[in-house]
Amino acid sequence: MEETEEDKKDEADYKRLHSFPLIRHSDMPEEMRVETMELCVTACEKHATNNESAAKMIKETMDKKFGSSWHVVIGEGFGFEITHEVKNLLYMFFGGSLAVCVWKCS
C-alpha cells in the first residue's frame, strides 16, 4: 500500500502540531521545571530514534545539575507507579505520543 501525498502531508502536520512539550504533571519549582523540560526536549530531538540514549543524557545531566538519584523513563504506551521526593517530579509528553517521566528518589 503506497502512501499518497495527502497522507504524507497529514503526518507532517500532525508532527508539527505535536512538536511542543505538554506537561501532564509536575511539582517542581518553576525554574527547575523549565530547565528539565528544555533538557528533555533537547535529548528527545537529539536522540529521536534511541530513547535509551535520550534517557541516559537526561539522567546524567540531572545528576550533575541537581544532585544524584534521578530516574528517567521515555517511551510510548507504558504505565508506572513510583515513589519520589516532593518537588522533584516531571511527567510530560513530547512529539505527540512520546512520554517522558523524570523523578528523584533517594
Side-chain angles (χ1 to χ4, degrees), residues 80-95:
F80 60 93
E81 179 79 24
I82 61 170
T83 302
H84 68 93
E85 289 183 9
V86 176
K87 298 189 186 273
N88 286 290
L89 172 71
L90 175 73
Y91 179 47
M92 64 180 269
F93 292 100
F94 179 70

Side-chain angles (χ1 to χ4, degrees), residues 24-88:
R24 182 74 173 110
H25 177 78
S26 178
D27 65 355
M28 290 180 171
E30 177 72 23
E31 186 176 315
M32 181 188 243
R33 183 177 70 236
V34 170
E35 286 183 47
T36 304
M37 180 187 65
E38 289 174 354
L39 172 62
C40 291
V41 169
T42 301
C44 289
E45 287 177 342
K46 183 177 180 181
H47 302 283
T49 59
N50 190 340
N51 292 341
E52 187 176 345
S53 294
K56 185 175 183 178
M57 177 182 167
I58 294 167
K59 185 209 176 343
E60 289 174 352
T61 305
M62 294 296 287
D63 283 348
K64 287 178 191 168
K65 195 163 207 160
F66 299 110
S68 63
S69 299
W70 285 92
H71 305 276
V72 181
V73 174
I74 301 176
E76 298 178 20
F78 63 88
F80 60 93
E81 179 79 24
I82 61 170
T83 302
H84 68 93
E85 289 183 9
V86 176
K87 298 189 186 273
N88 286 290

